[in-house]
Amino acid sequence: MKEFRRILITTVLIASVLIVLAVSVSAEAAFKDVKAGSWYYDAVSKTVEEGVFTGTSKTTFSPNQPMTRAMFVTTLARMNKVDVSEYTSASFSDVKLGEWYAPYVEWAYQNDITSGIGGGKFGVNNTITRQEMVALFYKSAANFGESTEIPDQFKYDRSYDKDDVAEWAVDGMKWALANFVISGTGNEGEMLLLSPKKTATRAEAAQLIVNYFDFQKADEPAIGKLTINGNTIENYKIVHADNKDSKNAAKALVDYIQRATGKTLTYTTDAVPVGEYEILIGKTNREGSVVSVKRELTDRSAFEISVQGNYLVIAGSNDEYEANEFGVIGLALERLGFGFYSGDIYTIARQDEVDLADGYFFSDGPGYEYRVVYWSSKPEEERTSEPFKRYGMPHNLPEITGVPVTAPEPCLTDPEIIATSINNVRTILEKRPDLEILSVIMNDRPDCCLCERCMEVYRREKTRGATIMLLCDTIAKDIKEDYPDCYILTAAYLHTLQPVQTKLDERVMVYYCPIENCASHDYNDPTCPLNASILGNMNGWSDVCDRLWVWDYSANFTYSFSAFPILDSLRDNKEWFYGLGVTGEFNNAIQGKSGEFGPLVAYLLGKLQWKPTMSEDEYQAEIDAFLEAYYGAGWKNIRSYIDSMELLSDKNHWGYHVVPDGVVDYEDILANMDTFEGYWDAAEAMAKNTEELKRIQCSRVSWTYTMLTALYTRDYCGDDPAAKNAYVDLTAEFIEEVDALGVKWAESDRGVFYDPSKHPREWLPS
């Protein structure tokens, strides 16, 4: 029985089938009637390359030419490498002995794959319909021992024209849909169109052939053969250093190898005697005697992978901060063909053979030393990390100064408060002498002391953040001799965003928090009025602070599922920060189920924090890979929506608390409404199961909410009573769907006060 997984496996077709009555064309030759970007391009390319299909001439494939029944059963036989020499009779009156198709038709008849069209005829030259194709595939699968189980009817039940399927073809259609042998011809609203009686074309036949071979390979491992220095993976055991990180890395590698190859390895500590075939993880006792490890990358998350004879070595820069686990993930990504997207959603690229040859070496490490993504929807294997011993929550100034939260903040030039702060920091360090970072961060409010002494410091340093910065500088200098490895971390936030003029001690770290900047445009865009200040601020901080982190943002904190198109600036901002010397990022976002594109943003942030120098082409490829894995066959519709919203929102300037109707103009929403509804309908129609459908619906919430903001003005506030009533009904359906999906309305639970008579932005209290 087939095992139906959530894994998307990209398959490589290996078959040799020839369609009769066609002119041979080499795999490399291009057909002038098969254009890149057409839906059948990949299927035609694969089938031609492998000899499954040929052209109708040296320069044409004729993708829209109808297939005949004779041609199709011939294809079925040759796909399955049937020897038809013994089929010398003809059971149908319209099948002539000696014709090219005769033995193939007879084979199909004698093996209960076809009974003809009635009246003793096969219908040799009749064009074949889509339902006839899947029925023949279904019976052929049974004949060759393939599973004919119908695991679910999800796609069939959501098909608009399922009642048009002939009774004799229903099981075949259900089977083909459930096993992804056939897809729809389009959609009617959110329902799939099957077009069962439509004549099948050569292009459709090519796609079905590719899909059928994928189905046949569904239970086969993604990697046909995995070897190390030519030795099969079954010979190996995993030997790890005796520590938590190395053991976790070993367990992860067992899992990845099992998923990719179907082989299960054992793992043990390095206390066992040296074996002939070992995968070594962490700093094992084999180093120096059996293998050598360079560890040239010093970042705490860095790793190196090497093959030394019969030994595969995965060695992190340390055994304490997940570097070994990141090394295993690196191997899974680089050589085993894994992609990790959101939660437990992953893909494995199909490879016939993977050999990790003697001398293979790969090392990698992150661009940012500190990497946190605060989305709850990030992938399990995202290589985020906080590899430092830290103390102190954000806005912990009262704990340091001993002064409770008041308005304004305490006087940070007061000698007694300075002395108390130093003493409190030292008390913490006496208990935790191993601390590497200790926070001294302002209260979460824009107030500051206005005494003459503080005002003089503000004027001299040209920022109202001067007093807390200089307090941190004083603390860092005081503890440096006794605690040389400890940094003092503070924040440039609200009234402290502007840099001081004084060069800070090398042990002072600054978190820059661009909460007031424009999310719509690159932070370093000089034409954006909201981002004009950050250019000077970041350059200034780079001059006075040796270790700079950012506390960035990637969500609308007031209206969490309002449209928030930030993908165009996301990569550019990370690259710009990195170029300024930023070495860490905390990206603040939303916990809970996203009603926008939170999972996509979380995925991209993890990739960018690891590689902030990622090229634009790499970045766009990552977006596409995620969309296909997460949303399924209809992902290109969602990509079209995303690209359109990015373009439409570019004319406006908005931040991280923007109202839902402040991102895209009212006129643009209405002008594109039908197109965008069509994108989402098509994506839903192509969903393969309930889980995928829900993921699409969750992200669609964002568009629907945005659309409602425009429809409120046009329909509810307009003069047409019918339009007003339709709007009220639509809002009620929307509220019901949001509740059913469980998406989060806002960062904080302020309650939802649904009232269709009010603008949708007013359903959430300010």
Side-chain angles (χ1 to χ4, degrees):
M1 189 175 87
K2 296 282 180 187
E3 178 185 0
F4 294 92
R5 309 183 184 94
R6 294 179 64 193
I7 312 170
L8 171 67
I9 300 182
T10 304
T11 57
V12 178
L13 181 62
I14 302 176
S16 179
V17 183
L18 186 64
I19 295 292
V20 295
L21 297 182
V23 180
S24 180
V25 178
S26 67
E28 292 77 19
F31 297 115
K32 63 183 181 181
D33 57 354
V34 178
K35 304 296 184 183
S38 57
W39 64 263
Y40 48 78
Y41 179 83
D42 289 340
V44 170
S45 298
K46 288 180 180 179
T47 52
V48 169
E49 182 180 352
E50 298 298 337
V52 178
F53 257 100
T54 56
T56 52
S57 75
K58 291 183 178 180
T59 59
T60 60
F61 180 81
S62 303
N64 297 317
Q65 177 179 310
M67 283 284 288
T68 66
R69 288 171 54 81
M71 292 172 66
F72 194 74
V73 295
T74 300
T75 302
L76 283 178
R78 290 185 170 173
M79 280 171 57
N80 292 289
K81 300 180 181 179
V82 176
D83 180 2
V84 295
S85 60
E86 62 184 85
Y87 297 97
T88 57
S89 59
S91 299
F92 296 105
S93 61
D94 59 343
V95 174
K96 297 180 181 179
L97 290 176
E99 292 292 336
W100 59 267
Y101 55 80
Y104 300 99
V105 174
E106 188 64 19
W107 159 78
Y109 173 73
Q110 291 190 26
N111 287 276
D112 295 324
I113 294 172
T114 182
S115 58
I117 60 173
K121 294 183 178 182
F122 174 71
V124 173
N125 295 316
N126 289 12
T127 56
I128 193 167
T129 64
R130 286 168 52 82
Q131 66 181 357
E132 286 176 319
M133 278 203 306
V134 296
L136 290 170
F137 262 127
Y138 181 56
K139 292 181 178 180
S140 174
N143 183 265
F144 288 99
E146 299 289 350
S147 172
T148 55
E149 179 183 355
I150 302 171
D152 64 70
Q153 294 188 187
F154 175 81
K155 295 182 73 174
Y156 184 82
D157 289 343
R158 284 178 50 79
S159 297
Y160 179 80
D161 53 352
K162 61 180 180 291
D163 292 341
D164 292 341
V165 178
E167 185 177 353
W168 50 264
V170 167
D171 286 346
M173 188 65 75
K174 289 179 179 178
W175 169 84
L177 285 168
N179 291 289
F180 316 115
V181 174
I182 195 170
S183 56
T185 58
N187 64 289
E188 181 69 31
E190 300 162 9
M191 306 288 279
L192 189 69
L193 276 176
L194 298 177
S195 305
K197 298 177 182 178
K198 176 181 177 291
T199 298
T201 64
R202 285 168 53 81
E204 289 176 317
Q207 185 63 63
L208 257 70
I209 290 168
V210 171
N211 294 348
Y212 184 71
F213 274 95
D214 289 349
F215 161 73
Q216 287 182 312
K217 289 177 174 287
D219 279 343
E220 296 180 11
I223 297 178
K225 183 180 181 182
L226 176 61
T227 56
I228 300 171
N229 192 28
N231 306 301
T232 59
I233 195 65
E234 298 96 310
N235 292 333
Y236 281 81
K237 64 180 176 182
I238 300 173
V239 176
H240 63 84
D242 191 10
N243 57 70
K244 181 180 178 181
D245 178 50
S246 300
K247 182 177 181 180
N248 288 340
K251 292 167 66 176
L253 185 59
V254 169
D255 179 37
Y256 299 153
I257 290 175
Q258 198 283 325
R259 286 193 240 173
T261 70
K263 310 297 182 184
T264 302
L265 303 189
T266 60
Y267 63 93
T268 183
T269 68
D270 57 4
V272 300
V274 177
E276 185 177 359
Y277 306 104
E278 292 184 342
I279 300 174
L280 306 175
I281 298 180
K283 192 169 185 178
T284 68
N285 58 16
R286 274 63 165 164
E287 290 188 24
S289 57
V290 179
V291 297
S292 62
V293 178
K294 298 177 181 180
R295 289 194 175 84
E296 293 176 343
L297 297 178
T298 58
D299 186 279
R300 293 182 179 184
S301 296
F303 60 85
E304 63 183 66
I305 304 171
S306 63
V307 177
Q308 302 175 41
N310 293 335
Y311 298 91
L312 170 62
V313 182
I314 303 173
S317 58
N318 63 85
D319 282 354
E320 188 176 1
Y321 294 107
E322 302 176 289
N324 295 315
E325 292 187 62
F326 295 154
V328 168
I329 294 172
L331 178 68
L333 293 169
E334 294 295 322
R335 296 306 304 273
L336 302 185
F338 277 81
F340 303 106
Y341 298 101
S342 179
D344 61 352
I345 298 172
Y346 66 93
T347 64
I348 312 175
R350 187 171 292 282
Q351 304 174 80
D352 289 335
E353 184 173 352
V354 175
D355 180 50
L356 302 172
D358 184 28
Y360 171 77
F361 182 83
F362 173 71
S363 63
D364 198 12
Y368 290 163
E369 62 179 353
Y370 174 79
R371 307 173 307 284
V372 177
V373 176
Y374 199 62
W375 284 99
S376 55
S377 51
K378 60 181 181 289
E380 294 175 355
E381 283 82 3
E382 188 159 71
R383 290 179 287 187
T384 53
S385 181
E386 302 179 67
F388 301 100
K389 298 179 176 69
R390 291 185 57 190
Y391 179 89
M393 298 295 291
H395 313 301
N396 68 330
L397 190 63
E399 178 186 12
I400 301 301
T401 62
V403 180
V405 177
T406 58
E409 285 193 348
C411 177
L412 300 182
T413 60
D414 185 328
E416 289 188 11
I417 290 179
I418 294 172
T420 298
S421 299
I422 293 172
N423 182 65
N424 287 341
V425 167
R426 283 187 166 275
T427 299
I428 293 169
L429 289 170
E430 286 170 5
K431 297 177 181 177
R432 291 283 310 278
D434 62 333
L435 286 178
E436 297 169 296
I437 298 174
L438 194 154
S439 295
V440 179
I441 299 180
M442 56 176 287
N443 294 326
D444 192 7
R445 57 201 305 168
D447 305 312
C448 56
C449 178
L450 300 178
C451 76
E452 184 54 37
R453 187 169 50 205
C454 288
M455 291 297 292
E456 173 58 30
V457 175
Y458 303 153
R459 287 189 288 268
R460 184 182 74 239
E461 297 290 336
K462 299 181 180 179
T463 172
R464 294 203 172 188
T467 53
I468 190 168
M469 297 300 163
L470 296 182
L471 172 65
C472 291
D473 187 72
T474 300
I475 294 172
K477 288 182 170 68
D478 184 87
I479 66 171
K480 183 186 301 185
E481 183 175 346
D482 296 328
Y483 304 98
D485 295 329
C486 185
Y487 283 74
I488 300 300
L489 173 64
T490 190
Y493 175 67
L494 298 178
H495 64 284
T496 70
L497 280 171
Q498 292 177 292
V500 293
Q501 303 300 301
T502 300
K503 180 72 167 68
L504 298 175
D505 187 86
E506 66 271 16
R507 296 292 172 181
V508 175
M509 301 171 58
V510 173
Y511 249 142
Y512 189 87
C513 310
I515 185 64
E516 296 178 338
N517 288 97
C518 179
S520 178
H521 301 105
D522 293 359
Y523 286 156
N524 65 341
D525 181 355
T527 67
C528 177
L530 294 183
N531 286 339
S533 62
I534 194 174
L535 287 165
N537 287 346
M538 285 299 297
N539 286 322
W541 283 116
S542 295
D543 291 338
V544 301
C545 180
D546 292 339
R547 195 174 180 189
L548 187 60
W549 289 358
V550 291
W551 182 295
D552 204 1
Y553 308 87
S554 57
N556 186 330
F557 294 96
T558 303
Y559 301 92
S560 297
F561 54 61
S562 177
F564 202 69
I566 61 171
L567 298 189
D568 280 356
S569 60
L570 202 63
R571 187 203 71 87
D572 297 339
N573 289 341
K574 301 302 167 249
E575 185 179 45
W576 180 61
F577 282 144
Y578 185 74
L580 289 172
V582 170
T583 60
E585 181 191 44
F586 183 101
N587 196 281
N588 199 11
I590 299 292
Q591 293 289 295
K593 185 178 290 187
S594 171
E596 211 241 357
F597 291 104
L600 170 60
V601 173
Y603 170 78
L604 293 172
L605 284 169
K607 292 290 184 179
L608 290 166
Q609 288 181 347
W610 187 268
K611 188 180 179 181
T613 58
M614 180 186 297
S615 71
E616 182 65 25
D617 286 346
E618 290 176 306
Y619 179 64
Q620 296 301 326
E622 292 288 3
I623 294 175
D624 286 349
F626 178 93
L627 294 177
E628 184 173 8
Y630 192 79
Y631 296 112
W635 72 272
K636 290 183 179 179
N637 295 286
I638 297 175
R639 178 73 204 239
S640 295
Y641 167 79
I642 289 172
D643 290 345
S644 298
M645 289 295 282
E646 292 281 345
L647 186 64
L648 292 174
S649 66
D650 188 62
K651 69 176 73 172
N652 298 322
H653 304 277
W654 38 268
Y656 297 101
H657 294 275
V658 62
V659 293
D661 49 330
V663 176
V664 177
D665 289 349
Y666 162 89
E667 296 82 3
D668 289 333
I669 295 172
L670 294 178
N672 290 276
M673 183 170 63
D674 290 343
T675 299
F676 291 172
E677 283 286 277
Y679 288 151
W680 287 107
D681 281 349
E684 286 196 29
M686 298 170 76
K688 69 180 180 182
N689 54 37
T690 301
E691 291 77 16
E692 196 169 88
L693 177 62
K694 285 184 177 179
R695 292 197 291 269
I696 296 167
Q697 290 172 335
C698 280
S699 295
R700 186 174 186 167
V701 163
S702 174
W703 158 245
T704 305
Y705 188 50
T706 301
M707 179 178 66
L708 289 175
T709 65
L711 291 179
Y712 174 80
T713 303
R714 190 193 73 177
D715 294 348
Y716 188 85
C717 299
D719 298 327
D720 184 349
K724 181 175 183 177
N725 291 334
Y727 170 82
V728 172
D729 291 342
L730 184 61
T731 61
E733 292 173 8
F734 174 73
I735 292 295
E736 184 177 342
E737 182 172 31
V738 168
D739 289 344
L741 292 171
V743 297
K744 190 161 185 175
W745 279 85
E747 179 188 27
S748 58
D749 185 9
R750 307 192 305 275
V752 178
F753 301 93
Y754 165 63
D755 183 347
S757 70
K758 295 182 178 180
H759 193 284
R761 85 171 84 88
E762 297 180 36
W763 298 348
L764 284 173
S766 59

